Amino acid sequence: MKFVDVKNEVAFHRIFGNANKTVTLISFLNTVLQLEGTSRITWVKIENPYQFPLTTGGKISILDITAADQLGRKFVVEMQVADKEGFVKRTQYYASRDYSMQIESGEQYPLLRPTHFVGILNFNCTTNPNYFSHHGTIDLETGEHLLKDVQYFFIELLKFRKTINDLQTLMDKWVFFIKNAENLEMIPSGIKDEGLQTAYTEADKHNWSPLELKAYDDAGVRDADLVQERIFAENVGKEKKEIEMVIKLYKKGKTAAEISDLLDIPLERVQKIIADYETSQNIK
C-alpha cells in the first residue's frame, strides 16, 4: 500500500468530502466534537462535496457541513486544513459568518443552529501543550459557559508526537492518520472504527485514478511553490530591515567595522550596503 498525504488539498476533499462515504466524516466529527450516546452525529450533508477535478487552488482546504444528531439538533461545521497567515481572525470571521447567515432578516433567532469550527493546523497556534484544544466563550470571572453556539476545535499536528505504538484513543488514531498516512505502507493494526478504516482505504493510491493522482500531484507542487514564495518574501523582509539598520547606524557616525560588530553582519556586506546608499545619495 502507498497512501496519499491527507493534508494535500485534493486528498483532504476526496477522503472527507466524499458524499457517498460519509461514514468517514461522521466518525471523525463525533471523535473531534466529543459527541457520545444520543448526542452522536448520525447524518451529514456536505455543502461542497468532492468533485473531480478540484480547482480551488487555494492555501486552505474547506468543507462546509450540515450535521444532525440523534436528538434532532443540527450543527454547521467547517473543517479546514489551514494556512497560518491570518488564521485566528479568519477562523472567527468564518464561524460568525456561518452562524449569522443561517437566517434571514426578520426570522426567529431560535432557528439558529450551533456552529462548530474544526481546524486541522500544520503549525503551532495555541499555548496549550496538547495537540487538541477546545475553545468557547466563557465568563472570565465565573467560568460559566452560557454562550455555547459558536465553538472551536483545533488539532495542532506539530504537537502530535505519538508513534504508532503509543496510540490509545480514537482521537490519537485519527490524528496519526492525518499526519503520517503518507509514510505508511499498510493500515496499522487495531483499527476497528469503520470510518477510520474507510479513510485508510480511500487514502490508498491504488484506489485513485490516473487523473486524480495528477490533480493530487499538482496540488502538492502548488503547496511547495507557496512555501517557497513565503520563504522568499520573509528573506526580502529581513534583508530590507537589515539595510535600514545599517544605514541608520551609518548616519549616526558608526564605521562599517563598528556596524558589522554591533549587528553581527559580515563586514563586506555592511560595506556594500553603505556604498549602495552613498551611490543613491549622489544620484539624487
Side-chain angles (χ1 to χ4, degrees):
M1 286 182 166
K2 181 63 177 176
F3 301 102
V4 297
D5 178 3
V6 181
K7 302 180 296 297
N8 175 285
E9 181 184 14
V10 172
F12 179 77
H13 275 76
R14 190 186 192 279
I15 295 167
F16 291 103
N18 189 335
N20 297 317
K21 295 184 179 180
T22 57
V23 62
T24 294
L25 182 58
I26 289 173
S27 170
F28 180 74
L29 291 178
N30 280 325
T31 302
V32 173
L33 303 183
Q34 303 170 316
L35 301 176
E36 299 178 348
T38 57
S39 295
R40 290 179 64 81
I41 290 173
T42 58
W43 170 87
V44 294
K45 177 184 178 183
I46 304 170
E47 305 296 340
N48 54 338
Y50 171 79
Q51 292 181 339
F52 179 79
L54 187 67
T55 58
T56 57
K59 294 184 290 183
I60 308 166
S61 295
I62 301 175
L63 284 177
D64 292 317
I65 305 154
T66 299
D69 63 19
Q70 294 183 29
L71 297 179
R73 296 179 304 175
K74 293 186 177 181
F75 303 89
V76 175
V77 181
E78 186 169 275
M79 285 176 54
Q80 287 196 8
V81 177
D83 178 77
K84 185 175 182 179
E85 185 178 354
F87 170 74
V88 173
K89 289 187 179 296
R90 186 174 65 242
T91 295
Q92 294 175 89
Y93 170 76
Y94 283 147
S96 59
R97 179 201 62 186
D98 287 351
Y99 184 66
S100 63
M101 290 182 65
Q102 294 178 60
I103 61 174
E104 300 292 338
S105 178
E107 290 187 297
Q108 298 299 309
Y109 292 116
L111 295 175
L112 289 169
R113 306 163 183 170
T115 297
H116 291 180
F117 182 99
V118 179
I120 303 169
L121 318 181
N122 206 23
F123 57 90
N124 290 334
C125 179
T126 73
T127 58
N128 191 329
N130 298 317
Y131 71 85
F132 175 73
S133 58
H134 178 189
H135 303 256
T137 304
I138 64 170
D139 184 317
L140 295 178
E141 182 176 354
T142 66
E144 180 184 12
H145 189 191
L146 177 65
L147 308 176
K148 298 181 179 180
D149 271 8
V150 180
Q151 298 183 39
Y152 307 86
F153 301 80
F154 298 149
I155 294 172
E156 298 174 81
L157 296 177
L158 298 184
K159 295 179 181 179
F160 184 82
R161 301 181 181 88
K162 295 186 178 183
T163 68
I164 197 168
N165 297 319
D166 298 327
L167 309 180
Q168 297 180 348
T169 66
L170 185 54
M171 176 77 81
D172 287 346
K173 295 174 182 179
W174 266 114
V175 178
F176 182 85
F177 164 72
I178 293 170
K179 183 174 182 178
N180 299 305
E182 63 177 320
N183 301 316
L184 303 178
E185 295 182 352
M186 60 183 299
I187 300 176
S189 60
I191 302 298
K192 300 179 180 179
D193 180 79
E194 181 185 1
L196 185 51
Q197 288 178 342
T198 303
Y200 270 106
T201 300
E202 290 298 301
D204 185 357
K205 286 186 176 182
H206 292 97
N207 295 322
W208 287 50
S209 71
L211 286 177
E212 287 178 314
L213 288 174
K214 183 180 184 303
Y216 166 79
D217 288 337
D218 288 345
V221 170
R222 185 167 59 243
D223 289 342
D225 287 345
L226 288 170
V227 170
Q228 291 303 314
E229 288 176 9
R230 184 179 296 113
I231 292 174
F232 176 77
E234 290 175 353
N235 288 337
V236 169
K238 290 178 181 178
E239 182 178 359
K240 181 179 179 182
K241 184 176 181 180
E242 182 180 85
I243 292 172
E244 290 174 348
M245 293 174 66
V246 168
I247 293 174
K248 183 177 181 179
L249 290 172
Y250 178 66
K251 287 181 176 180
K252 289 185 176 181
K254 299 292 184 182
T255 66
E258 289 173 329
I259 296 172
S260 173
D261 184 57
L262 286 169
L263 300 181
D264 194 23
I265 299 174
L267 178 60
E268 295 79 5
R269 169 67 176 157
V270 174
Q271 290 172 332
K272 183 178 186 308
I273 292 174
I274 293 173
D276 290 345
Y277 170 70
E278 290 289 357
T279 299
S280 67
Q281 295 302 302
N282 291 333
I283 293 174
K284 291 179 181 179

